[in-house]
Amino acid sequence: MSSIGKTVKISGPLVVAEGMRDANMFDVVRVGNRRLIGEIIEMHGDRASVQVYEETAGMGTGESVESTGEPMSAELGPGLIGSIYDGIQRPLDDIRKICGNNLERGVEVTPLKRDRKWKFTPTVKTGDLVQSGDVFGTVPETDIVLHKIMIPAGIKGKVKSIREGEFTVDEIVCTVETENGDRELKMFQKWAVRRGRPYKKKLSPEMPLITGQRVIDCLFPIAKGGVAAIPGPFGSGKTVTQHQLAKWAEADIIVYIGCGERGNEMTDVLNEFPELIDPKTGKSLMERTVLIANTSDMPVAAREASVYTGITIAEYYRDMGYSVALMADSTSRWAEALREMSGRLEEMPGDEGYPAYLGSRLAQFYERAGRVISTGTKGREGALSVIGAVSPPGGDISEPVSQATLRIVKVFWGLDANLAYQRHFPAINWLTSYSLYADSLADWYNNNVSADWIKLRARFMSILNDESELKEIVKLVGMDALSAGDRLKMETARSIREDFLHQLAFHEVDTYTSLKKQLYMMKLILNFHDEAETAISKGADVERITELPVREKIGRFKYITEENAEKEFSRISVEISAGLDKLRTEAY
């Protein structure tokens, strides 16, 4: 049921309308003569407060506000992959065809193209019993993504008819006979973005999301279906880290949300992703990616819608049985949109002007992540991992958005401006970061990589922590005051930092490291350390140990290709033993 009212107040993205008695909370409305898109966020009698997702400049009071009677919903069907949407799921390429390079207000376009035909192959036959969540057909969406068309929520019955062939998303492909009459199904469905999609069962996080980034996979892993935050000041590498995760994370589908970021960063994504070759498939990365571009010069209010639109699309692919990784860059800009609207609504402000419900809104977003069994007769296992960047002003993580995020997420990759200034990337600080998944993933690493993995990781962390304490002593009394064992520990920590944790995102080999190669790198560094300790105990000089040529080869091992890694590991291991044996013999 539609309801038409009149605007009585306009305050930036907030429009107040009277005469909206028949409207409901979170209804999508068309505002003013330009029919701008908005959403009702507050109701008092027949007075509705509308959050407008487009620029309201030039509007006047008395203009009409019309409710569509439906909540803000995403269209879910073939054609999502490879698309670039704005915050309210309008395809930017279609908008450009209508109004050129300058985005005009009030443009109405459908999220899924109505003129494109897709090859639909049924997976059920007439007479079969189906229920919500069951796959009743498939569409080859791209060369690497098979789109599974599912029965929408609330439908259960017997297949009355089903067709095979090429159809647009608007054509009826299946009819289901239900208790309440026949239901005609198309290849797409709508889902209210603020409501999480249902699932049968949530699974515990027992397997890691492999990223190929050594500091993450080794020290601070994230589970499949897990949540992580990347806070850091300007220039510390949040966006590059998220780009790396989007390129290399072991996920079938990537949903990248540019929420309030600068236009040039989204331009980098748009230019890079189509040219990048997916290492697993040899195809373009865009063939498994959905982009939502909501840059800082777009209306502030649309930032809030963008994260909900993105996570709804991600949940949809998760329900098909895919592993999905969602990148939100950044949730700070989203929180700024909440603060803006809260101020316009004259709500009682919380810390630093953010609304008091900031924490609960963030939790509602992040809790939609998880590894689940989908609904349907035969549930499919899918995972949705959420990685949110946080942009605290000046890198101060004591501010409200960072603190609210830290109370929710299980992985904290703290980016450090000092490391970034030293050109150490990724600039994830190993002393302040943590992962609460490390213990629950231990069995997976032991069974699938090596029984030594957890022990080696613990030794790395111990040496890095010892180094931070030794650095304080060195500042007071100098390096010469340290014992030979402590000086060796300082050298090993330097090797861990520079040879293992430092990783070049734009190097063709170093950009991604498999777990097997990471294991070799850890073993080389710690084998050298252990044999050097033995040599020192026999009287070998620590200076001569640190000057051995093999140390350079350990450092350059990260540039060895995956296929040559095992052979090179064996060769360097022999050289380590030979070099230190010689020093032990000479000392003896």
Side-chain angles (χ1 to χ4, degrees):
M1 183 186 294
S2 66
S3 178
I4 300 177
K6 298 287 183 186
T7 57
V8 294
K9 175 184 174 183
I10 301 164
S11 175
L14 174 69
V15 168
V16 179
E18 288 183 342
M20 304 290 289
R21 188 171 299 279
D22 294 330
N24 298 308
M25 275 286 287
F26 300 120
D27 274 4
V28 173
V29 295
R30 288 291 181 170
V31 180
N33 301 331
R34 291 178 178 267
R35 293 182 60 78
L36 309 181
I37 299 174
E39 184 182 21
I40 296 175
I41 56 172
E42 210 172 76
M43 288 288 294
H44 296 287
D46 72 338
R47 196 177 172 98
S49 297
V50 177
Q51 178 172 255
V52 183
Y53 293 129
E54 299 183 79
E55 181 59 60
T56 58
M59 268 187 65
T61 55
E63 293 189 30
S64 66
V65 177
E66 181 182 354
S67 169
T68 62
E70 294 181 347
M72 176 70 72
S73 301
E75 283 191 1
L76 305 171
L80 291 170
I81 298 290
S83 295
I84 303 157
Y85 294 111
D86 70 355
I88 45 182
Q89 211 199 357
R90 295 184 301 180
L92 294 179
D93 58 337
D94 287 349
I95 294 176
R96 187 182 182 187
K97 288 173 188 173
I98 295 170
C99 52
N101 291 335
N102 296 318
L103 185 62
E104 293 178 10
R105 293 183 283 173
V107 177
E108 294 187 45
V109 286
T110 55
L112 298 176
K113 292 175 171 52
R114 296 296 193 262
D115 56 351
R116 183 171 177 181
K117 292 202 169 187
W118 299 93
K119 183 175 171 43
F120 176 78
T121 305
T123 54
V124 296
K125 58 184 183 299
T126 304
D128 285 355
L129 294 174
V130 292
Q131 62 178 351
S132 59
D134 283 350
V135 174
F136 68 90
T138 60
V139 169
E141 188 169 5
T142 68
D143 288 344
I144 56 177
V145 176
L146 183 68
H147 195 108
K148 297 166 187 173
I149 313 294
M150 296 172 285
I151 302 285
I155 296 178
K156 183 179 182 180
K158 187 165 67 174
V159 176
K160 189 175 180 181
S161 67
I162 190 161
R163 302 195 293 165
E164 181 175 0
E166 295 200 349
F167 309 103
T168 64
V169 292
D170 234 3
E171 292 182 75
I172 294 159
V173 293
C174 181
T175 304
V176 177
E177 195 179 304
T178 72
E179 293 177 353
N180 303 316
D182 292 353
R183 294 291 298 270
E184 295 177 331
L185 305 182
K186 300 176 180 179
M187 282 194 283
F188 79 99
Q189 55 181 276
K190 287 190 172 185
W191 189 266
V193 297
R194 291 181 182 272
R195 188 160 55 95
R197 286 178 61 85
Y199 49 82
K200 194 180 289 182
K201 181 185 177 184
K202 201 161 198 172
L203 304 173
S204 57
E206 294 171 344
M207 60 178 69
L209 179 70
I210 308 302
T211 66
Q213 312 306 300
R214 295 187 290 268
V215 65
I216 293 173
D217 290 341
C218 176
L219 301 188
F220 312 111
I222 177 175
K224 267 191 181 175
V227 289
I230 315 179
F234 175 78
S236 59
K238 291 185 298 296
T239 302
V240 172
T241 304
Q242 284 203 317
H243 287 194
Q244 281 295 92
L245 296 175
K247 293 172 197 173
W248 299 108
E250 202 176 68
D252 303 310
I253 308 289
I254 301 294
V255 179
Y256 191 97
I257 308 169
C259 180
E261 286 304 294
R262 288 170 295 283
N264 63 318
E265 293 187 355
M266 279 311 297
T267 305
D268 284 346
V269 175
L270 300 180
N271 287 336
E272 274 185 32
F273 278 31
E275 293 177 5
L276 282 169
I277 301 302
D278 184 348
K280 293 188 280 293
T281 62
K283 305 285 185 181
S284 167
L285 192 64
M286 279 303 288
E287 294 202 12
R288 61 182 181 94
T289 304
V290 183
L291 295 177
I292 296 176
N294 184 252
T295 54
S296 53
D297 59 344
M298 290 180 175
V300 168
R303 293 178 192 174
E304 194 194 357
S306 65
V307 298
Y308 291 118
T309 301
I311 202 161
T312 301
I313 292 170
E315 283 178 329
Y316 177 61
Y317 281 100
R318 174 207 70 190
D319 291 347
M320 293 182 201
Y322 290 120
S323 171
V324 186
L326 180 137
M327 316 290 161
D329 187 13
S330 85
T331 53
S332 293
R333 309 281 178 257
W334 174 63
E336 285 169 8
L338 290 180
R339 179 168 63 181
E340 164 92 1
M341 289 310 300
S342 178
R344 302 281 185 183
L345 290 166
E346 299 176 6
E347 294 172 339
M348 182 69 75
D351 196 10
E352 292 189 23
Y354 287 101
Y357 48 78
L358 172 66
S360 64
R361 287 283 179 88
L362 278 167
Q364 285 169 13
F365 170 68
Y366 280 111
E367 72 182 4
R368 289 170 72 170
R371 192 164 66 95
V372 305
I373 302 294
S374 69
T375 57
T377 310
K378 295 179 182 176
R380 298 163 297 280
E381 183 184 313
L384 168 53
S385 313
V386 177
I387 296 143
V390 185
S391 309
D396 176 19
I397 63 166
S398 65
E399 57 89 40
V401 182
S402 299
Q403 289 302 305
T405 304
L406 289 182
R407 284 195 288 273
I408 300 158
V409 301
K410 301 289 181 69
V411 179
F412 173 74
W413 297 320
L415 295 174
D416 190 325
N418 291 329
L419 286 175
Y421 293 148
Q422 294 166 25
R423 318 311 297 164
H424 178 105
F425 291 106
I428 294 173
N429 189 314
W430 47 88
L431 299 175
T432 58
S433 302
Y434 61 82
S435 170
L436 300 182
Y437 294 119
D439 291 339
S440 61
L441 298 176
D443 287 344
W444 188 93
Y445 279 111
N446 285 338
N447 296 332
N448 293 275
V449 187
S450 168
D452 295 332
W453 181 278
I454 300 303
K455 185 173 70 177
L456 296 173
R457 175 187 179 272
R459 288 193 64 193
F460 262 34
M461 293 297 291
S462 173
I463 290 169
L464 290 168
N465 284 322
D466 289 348
E467 182 203 30
S468 69
E469 295 173 9
L470 291 170
K471 274 183 175 177
E472 298 301 317
I473 298 171
V474 169
K475 285 177 185 175
L476 293 172
V477 295
M479 182 68 82
D480 293 340
L482 294 181
S483 67
D486 285 342
R487 287 172 70 181
L488 175 64
K489 194 172 281 186
M490 291 282 282
E491 282 297 318
T492 303
R494 185 165 73 88
S495 183
I496 293 171
R497 286 188 286 105
E498 295 179 3
D499 303 337
F500 187 85
L501 299 181
H502 182 269
Q503 190 167 356
L504 297 173
F506 301 105
H507 189 281
E508 59 181 1
V509 174
D510 198 33
T511 185
Y512 175 89
T513 308
S514 68
L515 293 184
K516 188 177 180 183
K517 186 176 169 185
Q518 290 182 42
L519 179 70
Y520 290 152
M521 293 176 75
M522 287 195 283
K523 283 184 172 179
L524 285 177
I525 292 168
L526 292 175
N527 285 353
F528 183 88
H529 177 81
D530 293 341
E531 296 210 25
E533 272 189 332
T534 306
I536 288 170
S537 68
K538 300 286 186 184
D541 181 35
V542 70
E543 293 286 350
R544 292 189 64 191
I545 288 171
T546 57
E547 289 170 2
L548 282 173
V550 74
R551 292 201 68 215
E552 175 71 18
K553 292 177 182 176
I554 294 171
R556 299 199 65 78
F557 183 77
K558 59 185 175 183
Y559 303 124
I560 302 297
T561 57
E562 296 284 343
E563 54 266 25
N564 295 326
E566 187 172 356
K567 184 179 176 183
E568 189 69 10
F569 168 74
S570 302
R571 199 176 65 76
I572 294 174
S573 297
V574 170
E575 199 169 329
I576 289 171
S577 298
L580 288 166
D581 279 345
K582 185 181 178 185
L583 290 180
R584 276 197 295 267
T585 305
E586 289 175 359
Y588 187 75

